Every structure is written in structure tokens, then in C-alpha cells.
Coordinates of all heavy atoms in Angstrom, one line a residue:
M1483 N 134.3 137.2 18.9 CA 133.5 136.1 18.3 C 134.5 135.2 17.6 O 135.4 135.6 16.9 CB 132.5 136.7 17.3 CG 131.5 135.6 16.7 SD 130.5 136.3 15.4 CE 129.5 137.4 16.3
S1484 N 134.4 133.9 17.9 CA 135.3 132.9 17.4 C 134.9 132.6 15.8 O 133.9 133.1 15.4 CB 135.2 131.6 18.1 OG 134.0 130.9 17.8
R1485 N 135.9 132.0 15.2 CA 135.6 131.6 13.8 C 134.4 130.8 13.6 O 133.6 130.9 12.7 CB 136.9 130.9 13.3 CG 136.8 130.3 12.0 CD 137.0 131.4 10.9 NE 136.6 130.9 9.6 CZ 137.4 130.1 8.8 NH1 138.6 129.8 9.2 NH2 137.0 129.7 7.6
I1486 N 134.2 129.8 14.5 CA 133.0 128.9 14.5 C 131.8 129.7 14.6 O 130.8 129.5 13.8 CB 133.1 127.9 15.6 CG1 134.3 126.9 15.4 CG2 131.9 127.1 15.7 CD1 134.7 126.2 16.6
E1487 N 131.7 130.7 15.5 CA 130.5 131.5 15.7 C 130.3 132.4 14.5 O 129.2 132.6 14.1 CB 130.7 132.4 17.0 CG 130.6 131.5 18.3 CD 131.0 132.3 19.5 OE1 131.9 133.2 19.3 OE2 130.5 132.1 20.5
A1488 N 131.4 132.9 14.0 CA 131.2 133.8 12.8 C 130.7 133.0 11.6 O 129.8 133.5 10.9 CB 132.6 134.5 12.4
D1489 N 131.2 131.8 11.4 CA 130.8 131.0 10.3 C 129.3 130.6 10.5 O 128.5 130.7 9.6 CB 131.6 129.7 10.2 CG 132.9 130.0 9.6 OD1 133.2 131.1 9.1 OD2 133.7 129.0 9.5
A1490 N 128.9 130.2 11.7 CA 127.6 129.8 12.0 C 126.6 131.0 11.8 O 125.5 130.8 11.3 CB 127.5 129.3 13.4
R1491 N 127.0 132.2 12.3 CA 126.2 133.3 12.1 C 125.9 133.6 10.7 O 124.7 133.9 10.3 CB 126.9 134.5 12.8 CG 126.0 135.8 13.0 CD 126.7 136.8 13.9 NE 126.0 138.0 13.8 CZ 126.2 138.9 12.8 NH1 127.1 138.8 12.0 NH2 125.6 140.0 12.9
E1492 N 126.9 133.5 9.9 CA 126.7 133.8 8.4 C 125.7 132.8 7.9 O 124.8 133.2 7.1 CB 128.1 133.6 7.8 CG 128.1 133.7 6.3 CD 127.9 135.2 5.8 OE1 128.1 136.1 6.6 OE2 127.5 135.4 4.7
L1493 N 125.9 131.5 8.2 CA 125.0 130.5 7.7 C 123.6 130.7 8.2 O 122.6 130.6 7.4 CB 125.4 129.1 8.2 CG 126.5 128.4 7.4 CD1 127.0 127.1 8.1 CD2 126.0 128.0 6.0
L1494 N 123.4 131.0 9.4 CA 122.1 131.3 10.0 C 121.4 132.4 9.4 O 120.2 132.4 9.1 CB 122.2 131.4 11.5 CG 122.6 130.2 12.3 CD1 123.1 130.5 13.7 CD2 121.4 129.2 12.4
L1495 N 122.1 133.5 9.2 CA 121.5 134.7 8.6 C 121.1 134.4 7.2 O 120.0 134.9 6.7 CB 122.5 135.9 8.6 CG 122.7 136.5 10.0 CD1 123.8 137.5 10.0 CD2 121.5 137.1 10.6
R1496 N 121.9 133.7 6.4 CA 121.5 133.4 5.0 C 120.3 132.5 5.0 O 119.4 132.6 4.2 CB 122.7 132.7 4.4 CG 122.7 132.7 2.9 CD 123.8 131.9 2.3 NE 125.1 132.4 2.8 CZ 126.2 131.6 2.6 NH1 126.2 130.4 2.1 NH2 127.4 132.1 3.1
R1497 N 120.3 131.5 5.9 CA 119.2 130.6 6.0 C 117.9 131.3 6.3 O 116.8 131.1 5.8 CB 119.5 129.6 7.1 CG 118.5 128.4 7.2 CD 119.0 127.2 6.5 NE 118.2 126.1 6.8 CZ 118.6 125.2 7.8 NH1 119.7 125.4 8.4 NH2 117.8 124.2 8.1
R1498 N 118.0 132.2 7.3 CA 116.8 133.0 7.7 C 116.3 133.9 6.6 O 115.0 133.9 6.3 CB 117.1 133.9 8.9 CG 115.9 134.5 9.4 CD 116.1 135.1 10.8 NE 117.0 136.3 10.7 CZ 117.2 137.1 11.8 NH1 116.6 136.9 12.9 NH2 117.9 138.1 11.6
R1499 N 117.2 134.5 5.8 CA 116.8 135.2 4.6 C 116.0 134.4 3.6 O 115.0 134.7 3.1 CB 118.0 135.8 3.9 CG 118.3 137.2 4.5 CD 119.2 138.0 3.5 NE 120.4 137.3 3.1 CZ 121.5 137.4 3.8 NH1 121.6 138.1 4.8 NH2 122.6 136.7 3.3
S1500 N 116.5 133.1 3.4 CA 115.9 132.3 2.4 C 114.5 131.8 2.9 O 113.7 131.5 2.1 CB 116.8 131.1 2.0 OG 116.9 130.2 3.1
L1501 N 114.4 131.5 4.2 CA 113.1 131.1 4.8 C 112.1 132.2 4.8 O 110.9 131.9 4.7 CB 113.4 130.6 6.2 CG 114.0 129.2 6.4 CD1 114.2 128.9 7.8 CD2 113.2 128.1 5.7
S1502 N 112.6 133.4 4.9 CA 111.6 134.5 5.0 C 111.0 134.9 3.6 O 110.0 135.6 3.6 CB 112.3 135.8 5.5 OG 112.9 135.5 6.7
R1503 N 111.5 134.3 2.6 CA 111.0 134.5 1.2 C 110.5 133.2 0.7 O 110.8 132.2 1.1 CB 112.0 135.2 0.3 CG 112.4 136.5 0.8 CD 113.5 137.1 -0.1 NE 114.7 136.4 0.0 CZ 115.8 136.6 -0.8 NH1 115.8 137.5 -1.7 NH2 116.9 135.9 -0.5
S1504 N 109.7 133.4 -0.4 CA 109.2 132.2 -1.1 C 110.4 131.6 -1.9 O 111.3 132.3 -2.3 CB 108.0 132.5 -2.0 OG 108.5 133.1 -3.2
P1505 N 110.4 130.3 -2.2 CA 111.5 129.6 -2.9 C 111.7 130.3 -4.3 O 112.8 130.4 -4.8 CB 111.1 128.2 -3.0 CG 110.0 128.0 -2.1 CD 109.4 129.3 -1.8
A1506 N 110.6 130.7 -4.9 CA 110.7 131.2 -6.3 C 111.5 132.5 -6.2 O 112.2 132.8 -7.1 CB 109.3 131.5 -6.8
E1507 N 111.3 133.3 -5.2 CA 112.0 134.6 -5.0 C 113.5 134.3 -4.7 O 114.3 135.1 -5.2 CB 111.4 135.4 -3.9 CG 110.1 136.1 -4.3 CD 109.6 136.8 -3.0 OE1 110.0 138.0 -2.9 OE2 108.9 136.3 -2.2
V1508 N 113.8 133.3 -4.0 CA 115.1 133.0 -3.6 C 116.0 132.7 -4.8 O 117.0 133.3 -5.0 CB 115.2 131.9 -2.5 CG1 116.7 131.5 -2.2 CG2 114.4 132.2 -1.3
G1509 N 115.6 131.6 -5.5 CA 116.3 131.2 -6.7 C 117.8 130.9 -6.4 O 118.6 131.1 -7.3
D1510 N 118.0 130.5 -5.2 CA 119.4 130.2 -4.9 C 119.6 128.7 -4.5 O 119.0 128.2 -3.6 CB 119.7 131.0 -3.6 CG 121.1 130.7 -3.1 OD1 121.9 130.0 -3.7 OD2 121.5 131.2 -2.0
P1511 N 120.3 127.9 -5.4 CA 120.4 126.5 -5.2 C 121.1 126.2 -3.8 O 120.9 125.1 -3.3 CB 121.3 126.0 -6.3 CG 121.9 127.2 -7.0 CD 121.0 128.4 -6.5
A1512 N 121.8 127.1 -3.3 CA 122.4 126.8 -2.0 C 121.4 126.8 -0.9 O 121.6 126.1 0.2 CB 123.5 127.8 -1.7
A1513 N 120.4 127.5 -1.0 CA 119.3 127.7 0.0 C 118.2 126.6 -0.4 O 117.2 127.0 -0.8 CB 118.7 129.1 0.1
R1514 N 118.6 125.3 -0.1 CA 117.6 124.4 -0.5 C 116.5 124.2 0.5 O 116.8 124.0 1.7 CB 118.4 122.9 -0.6 CG 119.1 122.8 -2.0 CD 119.8 121.6 -2.0 NE 120.9 121.5 -1.1 CZ 121.7 120.5 -0.9 NH1 121.6 119.5 -1.7 NH2 122.7 120.5 0.0
W1515 N 115.4 124.2 0.1 CA 114.2 124.0 1.0 C 113.2 123.2 0.1 O 112.2 123.6 -0.3 CB 113.6 125.3 1.4 CG 112.5 125.2 2.4 CD1 111.1 125.4 2.2 CD2 112.7 124.8 3.8 NE1 110.5 125.1 3.4 CE2 111.4 124.7 4.4 CE3 113.8 124.5 4.5 CZ2 111.2 124.4 5.7 CZ3 113.6 124.1 5.9 CH2 112.4 124.1 6.4
G1516 N 113.6 121.9 0.0 CA 112.9 121.0 -1.0 C 111.5 120.8 -0.6 O 110.6 120.6 -1.5
D1517 N 111.1 120.8 0.7 CA 109.7 120.6 1.1 C 108.8 121.5 0.4 O 107.6 121.2 0.2 CB 109.6 120.6 2.6 CG 110.3 119.5 3.3 OD1 110.8 118.6 2.6 OD2 110.5 119.5 4.5
W1518 N 109.2 122.8 0.2 CA 108.4 123.8 -0.3 C 107.9 123.4 -1.7 O 106.8 123.7 -2.2 CB 109.1 125.2 -0.4 CG 109.1 125.8 0.9 CD1 109.6 125.3 2.1 CD2 108.6 127.1 1.3 NE1 109.5 126.2 3.1 CE2 108.9 127.4 2.6 CE3 108.0 128.1 0.5 CZ2 108.5 128.5 3.3 CZ3 107.7 129.3 1.2 CH2 107.9 129.5 2.5
E1519 N 108.8 122.7 -2.4 CA 108.5 122.3 -3.8 C 107.6 121.2 -3.9 O 106.9 121.0 -4.8 CB 109.9 122.1 -4.6 CG 110.6 123.4 -4.8 CD 112.0 123.1 -5.3 OE1 112.4 121.9 -5.5 OE2 112.8 124.1 -5.5
S1520 N 107.7 120.3 -2.9 CA 107.0 119.0 -3.0 C 105.6 119.1 -2.4 O 104.8 118.3 -2.6 CB 107.8 117.9 -2.3 OG 108.0 118.3 -0.9
T1521 N 105.3 120.2 -1.7 CA 104.0 120.4 -1.1 C 103.4 121.6 -1.7 O 104.0 122.6 -2.0 CB 104.0 120.6 0.4 OG1 105.0 121.6 0.7 CG2 104.4 119.3 1.1
P1522 N 102.0 121.5 -2.0 CA 101.3 122.6 -2.7 C 101.3 123.9 -1.8 O 101.4 125.0 -2.4 CB 99.9 122.1 -3.0 CG 99.8 120.8 -2.1 CD 101.1 120.4 -1.8
T1523 N 101.1 123.8 -0.5 CA 101.1 124.9 0.3 C 102.3 124.8 1.3 O 102.7 123.8 1.8 CB 99.8 125.0 1.2 OG1 99.7 123.7 1.8 CG2 98.6 125.3 0.3
P1524 N 102.9 126.0 1.5 CA 104.1 126.0 2.4 C 103.7 125.7 3.8 O 102.6 126.0 4.2 CB 104.6 127.5 2.3 CG 103.8 128.2 1.2 CD 102.6 127.3 0.9
P1525 N 104.5 125.0 4.5 CA 104.2 124.6 5.9 C 104.6 125.7 6.9 O 105.8 125.8 7.3 CB 105.1 123.4 6.2 CG 106.2 123.5 5.2 CD 105.9 124.4 4.1
P1526 N 103.7 126.7 7.2 CA 104.1 127.9 8.0 C 104.6 127.5 9.4 O 105.5 128.1 9.9 CB 102.9 128.7 8.1 CG 101.8 127.9 7.4 CD 102.3 126.7 6.7
E1527 N 104.0 126.4 10.0 CA 104.4 126.0 11.3 C 105.8 125.5 11.3 O 106.6 126.0 12.2 CB 103.5 124.9 11.8 CG 103.9 124.3 13.1 CD 103.8 125.3 14.2 OE1 102.9 126.1 14.2 OE2 104.6 125.2 15.2
N1528 N 106.2 124.7 10.3 CA 107.6 124.3 10.2 C 108.6 125.4 10.1 O 109.7 125.5 10.7 CB 107.8 123.3 9.1 CG 107.1 122.0 9.3 OD1 106.6 121.8 10.3 ND2 107.1 121.1 8.3
V1529 N 108.2 126.4 9.2 CA 109.0 127.5 8.9 C 109.1 128.4 10.1 O 110.3 128.8 10.5 CB 108.5 128.3 7.7 CG1 109.3 129.6 7.5 CG2 108.6 127.4 6.4
R1530 N 108.0 128.6 10.8 CA 108.1 129.4 12.0 C 109.0 128.8 13.0 O 109.8 129.5 13.7 CB 106.7 129.6 12.6 CG 105.9 130.8 12.1 CD 104.9 131.2 13.1 NE 104.0 130.1 13.5 CZ 102.9 129.8 12.8 NH1 102.5 130.4 11.7 NH2 102.2 128.8 13.2
R1531 N 108.9 127.5 13.2 CA 109.7 126.8 14.2 C 111.2 126.9 13.8 O 112.1 127.1 14.6 CB 109.3 125.3 14.3 CG 109.8 124.7 15.6 CD 109.5 123.2 15.6 NE 108.1 123.0 15.5 CZ 107.6 121.8 15.4 NH1 108.4 120.7 15.5 NH2 106.3 121.6 15.3
E1532 N 111.5 126.7 12.5 CA 112.8 126.8 12.1 C 113.4 128.2 12.3 O 114.6 128.4 12.7 CB 113.0 126.4 10.6 CG 114.4 126.5 10.1 CD 114.8 125.5 9.1 OE1 113.9 124.9 8.6 OE2 116.0 125.3 8.9
L1533 N 112.6 129.2 11.9 CA 113.0 130.7 12.1 C 113.3 130.9 13.7 O 114.2 131.6 14.0 CB 112.0 131.6 11.6 CG 111.9 131.7 10.1 CD1 110.6 132.5 9.7 CD2 113.1 132.4 9.5
A1534 N 112.5 130.3 14.5 CA 112.7 130.5 15.9 C 113.9 129.8 16.4 O 114.7 130.4 17.2 CB 111.5 129.9 16.7
D1535 N 114.3 128.6 15.9 CA 115.5 128.0 16.1 C 116.7 128.8 15.7 O 117.7 128.9 16.4 CB 115.5 126.6 15.5 CG 114.8 125.6 16.2 OD1 114.3 125.8 17.3 OD2 114.6 124.5 15.6
I1536 N 116.5 129.4 14.5 CA 117.6 130.2 14.0 C 117.9 131.5 14.8 O 119.0 131.8 15.2 CB 117.3 130.6 12.5 CG1 117.5 129.4 11.6 CG2 118.3 131.7 12.0 CD1 117.0 129.5 10.2
D1537 N 116.8 132.1 15.2 CA 116.9 133.3 16.1 C 117.5 132.9 17.4 O 118.3 133.7 18.0 CB 115.5 133.9 16.3 CG 115.1 134.7 15.0 OD1 115.9 135.0 14.2 OD2 113.9 135.1 15.0
A1538 N 117.1 131.8 18.0 CA 117.6 131.4 19.3 C 119.2 131.1 19.2 O 119.9 131.5 20.1 CB 116.9 130.1 19.8
A1539 N 119.5 130.5 18.0 CA 121.0 130.2 17.9 C 121.7 131.5 17.7 O 122.8 131.7 18.3 CB 121.2 129.3 16.6
L1540 N 121.2 132.5 17.0 CA 121.8 133.8 16.8 C 121.9 134.5 18.2 O 122.9 135.2 18.5 CB 121.0 134.7 15.9 CG 121.1 134.3 14.4 CD1 120.1 135.0 13.5 CD2 122.5 134.5 13.8
A1541 N 120.9 134.4 19.0 CA 120.9 135.0 20.3 C 122.0 134.3 21.2 O 122.8 135.0 21.9 CB 119.6 134.8 21.1
R1542 N 122.2 133.0 21.0 CA 123.3 132.3 21.8 C 124.6 132.8 21.3 O 125.5 132.8 22.2 CB 123.1 130.8 21.7 CG 121.9 130.2 22.4 CD 122.0 128.7 22.7 NE 122.1 127.9 21.4 CZ 121.1 127.6 20.7 NH1 119.8 127.9 21.1 NH2 121.2 126.8 19.6
I1543 N 124.7 133.0 20.1 CA 126.0 133.5 19.6 C 126.3 134.9 20.3 O 127.5 135.1 20.7 CB 126.0 133.6 18.0 CG1 126.0 132.2 17.4 CG2 127.3 134.4 17.5 CD1 125.8 132.2 15.9
Q1544 N 125.3 135.7 20.2 CA 125.5 137.1 20.9 C 125.9 137.0 22.3 O 126.7 137.8 22.8 CB 124.2 137.8 20.7 CG 123.8 138.2 19.3 CD 124.0 139.7 19.1 OE1 123.4 140.5 19.8 NE2 124.8 140.0 18.1
E1545 N 125.3 136.0 23.0 CA 125.5 135.9 24.4 C 126.8 135.0 24.8 O 127.1 134.9 25.9 CB 124.3 135.2 25.1 CG 123.1 136.1 25.0 CD 121.8 135.4 25.3 OE1 121.9 134.2 25.7 OE2 120.7 135.9 24.9
G1546 N 127.5 134.6 23.7 CA 128.7 133.8 24.0 C 128.4 132.4 24.5 O 129.3 131.7 25.1
R1547 N 127.1 131.9 24.3 CA 126.8 130.6 24.7 C 126.7 129.6 23.6 O 126.2 128.5 23.8 CB 125.5 130.6 25.6 CG 125.6 131.4 26.9 CD 124.3 131.2 27.7 NE 123.2 132.0 27.1 CZ 122.1 131.4 26.6 NH1 121.9 130.2 26.7 NH2 121.2 132.2 26.1
Y1548 N 127.1 130.0 22.4 CA 126.9 129.1 21.3 C 127.8 127.9 21.3 O 128.9 128.0 21.7 CB 127.1 129.9 20.0 CG 126.8 129.1 18.7 CD1 125.5 128.8 18.3 CD2 127.8 128.7 17.9 CE1 125.2 128.1 17.3 CE2 127.6 128.0 16.8 CZ 126.2 127.7 16.4 OH 126.0 126.9 15.3
G1549 N 127.2 126.8 20.8 CA 128.0 125.6 20.8 C 127.9 124.6 22.0 O 128.5 123.5 22.0
T1550 N 127.0 125.0 22.9 CA 126.8 124.1 24.0 C 125.3 123.7 24.0 O 124.4 124.5 23.6 CB 127.1 124.8 25.3 OG1 126.3 126.0 25.5 CG2 128.5 125.1 25.5
C1551 N 125.1 122.5 24.4 CA 123.7 121.9 24.5 C 122.9 122.6 25.5 O 123.3 122.8 26.7 CB 123.9 120.4 24.8 SG 122.3 119.6 25.1
V1552 N 121.6 123.0 25.1 CA 120.8 123.8 26.1 C 120.2 122.8 27.1 O 119.6 123.3 28.1 CB 119.7 124.5 25.4 CG1 120.2 125.5 24.4 CG2 118.7 123.6 24.7
N1553 N 120.3 121.5 26.9 CA 119.8 120.5 27.8 C 120.8 120.2 28.9 O 120.6 120.3 30.1 CB 119.3 119.3 27.1 CG 118.6 118.3 28.0 OD1 117.7 118.7 28.7 ND2 119.0 117.1 28.0
C1554 N 122.0 119.7 28.5 CA 123.0 119.2 29.4 C 124.2 120.2 29.6 O 125.0 120.0 30.5 CB 123.5 117.9 29.0 SG 124.6 117.9 27.5
G1555 N 124.3 121.2 28.7 CA 125.4 122.1 28.8 C 126.7 121.7 28.3 O 127.7 122.4 28.4
G1556 N 126.7 120.5 27.7 CA 127.9 119.9 27.1 C 128.2 120.4 25.7 O 127.3 121.1 25.2
P1557 N 129.4 120.3 25.2 CA 129.7 120.7 23.9 C 129.0 120.0 22.8 O 128.8 118.8 22.9 CB 131.2 120.5 23.8 CG 131.5 119.3 24.8 CD 130.5 119.5 25.9
M1558 N 128.6 120.8 21.8 CA 127.8 120.2 20.7 C 128.7 119.3 19.7 O 128.3 118.4 19.2 CB 127.3 121.3 19.8 CG 126.2 122.1 20.5 SD 124.7 121.1 20.4 CE 123.5 122.5 20.2
G1559 N 130.0 119.8 19.6 CA 130.8 119.1 18.6 C 130.8 119.9 17.2 O 129.7 120.3 16.8
L1560 N 131.9 120.0 16.7 CA 132.1 120.8 15.4 C 131.2 120.2 14.3 O 130.5 121.0 13.6 CB 133.5 120.9 15.0 CG 134.2 122.2 15.3 CD1 135.6 122.1 14.7 CD2 133.4 123.3 14.6
Q1561 N 131.2 119.0 14.1 CA 130.6 118.4 13.0 C 129.1 118.6 13.1 O 128.4 118.9 12.1 CB 130.8 116.8 13.0 CG 132.2 116.5 12.4 CD 132.3 115.0 12.1 OE1 131.5 114.2 12.7 NE2 133.2 114.6 11.2
R1562 N 128.5 118.5 14.3 CA 127.1 118.8 14.4 C 126.8 120.2 14.1 O 125.8 120.5 13.5 CB 126.6 118.4 15.8 CG 125.2 118.7 16.2 CD 124.7 117.7 17.2 NE 123.3 118.0 17.5 CZ 122.3 117.7 16.8 NH1 122.5 117.0 15.7 NH2 121.1 118.0 17.2
L1563 N 127.6 121.1 14.6 CA 127.3 122.5 14.4 C 127.5 122.9 12.9 O 126.7 123.7 12.3 CB 128.3 123.4 15.1 CG 128.1 123.4 16.7 CD1 129.1 124.2 17.4 CD2 126.7 124.0 17.0
R1564 N 128.3 122.2 12.2 CA 128.5 122.5 10.7 C 127.3 122.0 10.0 O 126.8 122.5 9.0 CB 129.7 121.8 10.2 CG 131.0 122.6 10.7 CD 132.0 122.8 9.6 NE 133.2 123.4 10.1 CZ 133.3 124.7 10.1 NH1 132.4 125.5 9.6 NH2 134.5 125.3 10.5
A1565 N 126.7 120.8 10.5 CA 125.6 120.2 9.8 C 124.3 120.9 10.1 O 123.5 121.2 9.2 CB 125.5 118.7 10.2
I1566 N 124.1 121.3 11.4 CA 122.9 122.0 11.9 C 123.3 123.1 12.7 O 123.4 123.0 14.0 CB 122.0 121.0 12.7 CG1 121.8 119.6 11.9 CG2 120.6 121.6 12.8 CD1 121.1 118.6 12.7
P1567 N 123.6 124.3 12.1 CA 124.1 125.4 12.9 C 123.1 125.9 14.0 O 123.5 126.5 15.0 CB 124.3 126.5 11.9 CG 124.0 126.0 10.6 CD 123.6 124.6 10.7
E1568 N 121.8 125.6 13.7 CA 120.8 126.1 14.8 C 120.4 125.0 15.8 O 119.5 125.2 16.6 CB 119.5 126.6 14.0 CG 118.6 125.5 13.5 CD 119.0 125.0 12.1 OE1 120.2 125.1 11.7 OE2 118.2 124.5 11.4
A1569 N 121.2 123.9 15.8 CA 120.8 122.8 16.7 C 120.9 123.3 18.2 O 121.8 124.1 18.6 CB 121.8 121.7 16.5
R1570 N 119.9 122.8 19.0 CA 119.8 123.3 20.4 C 120.5 122.2 21.3 O 120.9 122.5 22.3 CB 118.4 123.4 20.9 CG 117.6 124.6 20.3 CD 116.1 124.4 20.5 NE 115.4 125.4 19.7 CZ 114.8 126.4 20.3 NH1 114.8 126.5 21.6 NH2 114.2 127.3 19.6
Y1571 N 120.4 120.9 20.8 CA 120.9 119.8 21.7 C 122.0 119.1 21.1 O 122.2 119.0 19.9 CB 119.7 118.9 21.9 CG 118.4 119.6 22.4 CD1 117.3 119.6 21.6 CD2 118.4 120.1 23.7 CE1 116.2 120.3 22.1 CE2 117.3 120.7 24.1 CZ 116.2 120.8 23.3 OH 115.0 121.4 23.8
C1572 N 122.9 118.5 21.9 CA 123.9 117.6 21.4 C 123.3 116.3 21.0 O 122.1 116.0 21.2 CB 125.0 117.4 22.6 SG 124.4 116.4 23.9
L1573 N 124.1 115.5 20.4 CA 123.7 114.3 19.8 C 123.1 113.3 20.9 O 122.2 112.6 20.7 CB 124.7 113.5 19.1 CG 124.9 113.9 17.6 CD1 126.0 113.2 17.0 CD2 123.6 113.7 16.8
A1574 N 123.7 113.4 22.1 CA 123.3 112.5 23.2 C 121.9 112.9 23.6 O 121.2 112.1 24.1 CB 124.3 112.6 24.4
C1575 N 121.6 114.2 23.6 CA 120.3 114.7 24.1 C 119.2 114.7 23.1 O 118.0 114.6 23.5 CB 120.4 116.1 24.7 SG 121.5 116.2 26.2
V1576 N 119.5 114.9 21.8 CA 118.5 115.2 20.9 C 117.4 114.1 20.8 O 116.3 114.4 20.6 CB 119.1 115.6 19.5 CG1 119.7 114.3 18.8 CG2 118.2 116.3 18.6
G1577 N 117.9 112.9 20.8 CA 116.9 111.8 20.7 C 115.8 111.8 21.7 O 114.7 111.9 21.3
H1578 N 116.1 111.7 23.0 CA 115.0 111.7 24.0 C 114.3 113.0 24.2 O 113.2 113.1 24.6 CB 115.5 111.1 25.3 CG 116.7 111.7 25.9 ND1 116.7 112.7 26.8 CD2 118.1 111.5 25.7 CE1 118.0 113.0 27.2 NE2 118.8 112.3 26.5
V1579 N 115.0 114.2 23.9 CA 114.3 115.5 24.0 C 113.3 115.6 23.0 O 112.2 116.0 23.3 CB 115.3 116.7 23.9 CG1 114.6 118.0 23.8 CG2 116.2 116.7 25.1
E1580 N 113.6 115.2 21.7 CA 112.6 115.3 20.7 C 111.5 114.2 20.8 O 110.4 114.5 20.3 CB 113.3 115.2 19.3 CG 114.0 116.5 19.0 CD 114.6 116.6 17.7 OE1 114.6 115.6 17.0 OE2 115.2 117.6 17.3
D1581 N 111.8 113.1 21.4 CA 110.8 112.0 21.6 C 109.7 112.6 22.5 O 108.5 112.3 22.4 CB 111.4 110.8 22.3 CG 112.1 110.0 21.2 OD1 111.9 110.2 20.0 OD2 112.7 109.0 21.6
R1582 N 110.1 113.4 23.5 CA 109.1 114.0 24.5 C 108.2 115.0 23.8 O 107.2 115.3 24.2 CB 109.9 114.6 25.6 CG 109.8 113.9 26.9 CD 110.4 114.7 28.1 NE 111.9 114.6 28.0 CZ 112.7 115.5 28.5 NH1 112.2 116.5 29.1 NH2 114.0 115.3 28.4
G1583 N 108.7 115.5 22.7 CA 107.9 116.5 21.9 C 108.2 117.8 22.2 O 107.7 118.6 23.0
Ligands
LIG647 ZN1 123.2 117.5 25.7

């Protein structure tokens, strides 16, 4: 496992832990989930989707496919992985893929 994958895995596991619990239980300023505080009820759909993205990214790390876009197969770029470790698409693809829904 490369350094990038190890770092990403650490981030993803920490994120998943914080998402699996309520913000009050977390009490960790590093695990920012601002939306939970601004809305009276937690958005389970968003959280489920994010957890699925995190699990998919962890699976890609396990399979040695981490860091490549699932749409075009091109490299994600270090900055993007650092910003969004669970990202599925490269910057070139993310716009039109997400537009399609
Ligand atoms: Zn792409």
C-alpha cells in the first residue's frame, strides 16, 4: 500500500466513524459535519450515500485501484484525493457525471 493510499485509508476510516455516530457523541472538531447542526433532523440519505462512497473508496484501496477515476480511468490528482479522499471521479468527469444525476 502506498503512502497516499495509507493516508487516504486513515482519513476514510475516521470519517466513517464520525458519520456512524451522532455529532454530539463525536465531539471531535476535526470531524466537521456542519449540516447536522444546522438541520433539526439528520439527513440519512446524504449520510448513507457518503458512507457508501467511503466504503467504495476503501474497497478501491484494497483492490489497488485507488486514485483513478471510475469513469475515464485517468489519474485523480493528489490535490483532489487530499481534498476528497472518497471521490469517484476526476475533475474532468465530475461535472457532467453529477449533472446526469
Ligand atoms: Zn475521469
Side-chain angles (χ1 to χ4, degrees):
M1483 188 184 292
S1484 75
R1485 172 77 194 280
I1486 295 163
E1487 288 168 328
D1489 283 356
R1491 189 168 171 275
E1492 176 72 20
L1493 276 171
L1494 290 163
L1495 289 174
R1496 198 184 307 163
R1497 187 99 166 265
R1498 188 164 70 168
R1499 272 200 302 275
S1500 72
L1501 284 177
S1502 305
R1503 293 179 293 175
S1504 76
E1507 284 178 87
V1508 177
D1510 177 6
R1514 279 180 295 182
W1515 188 250
D1517 290 352
W1518 284 55
E1519 289 169 3
S1520 57
T1521 51
T1523 51
E1527 176 61 34
N1528 291 356
V1529 171
R1530 270 206 307 274
R1531 197 185 303 177
E1532 176 144 19
L1533 286 170
D1535 281 350
I1536 289 169
D1537 282 345
L1540 287 168
R1542 289 200 297 279
I1543 291 172
Q1544 290 255 303
E1545 294 161 12
R1547 292 186 290 118
Y1548 185 72
T1550 56
C1551 172
V1552 302
N1553 187 53
C1554 70
M1558 291 282 219
L1560 252 185
Q1561 283 192 335
R1562 179 153 175 76
L1563 290 177
R1564 290 225 180 269
I1566 314 173
E1568 75 273 27
R1570 290 165 189 251
Y1571 305 111
C1572 69
L1573 273 179
C1575 291
V1576 71
H1578 51 94
V1579 169
E1580 285 184 355
D1581 280 351
R1582 249 184 287 155

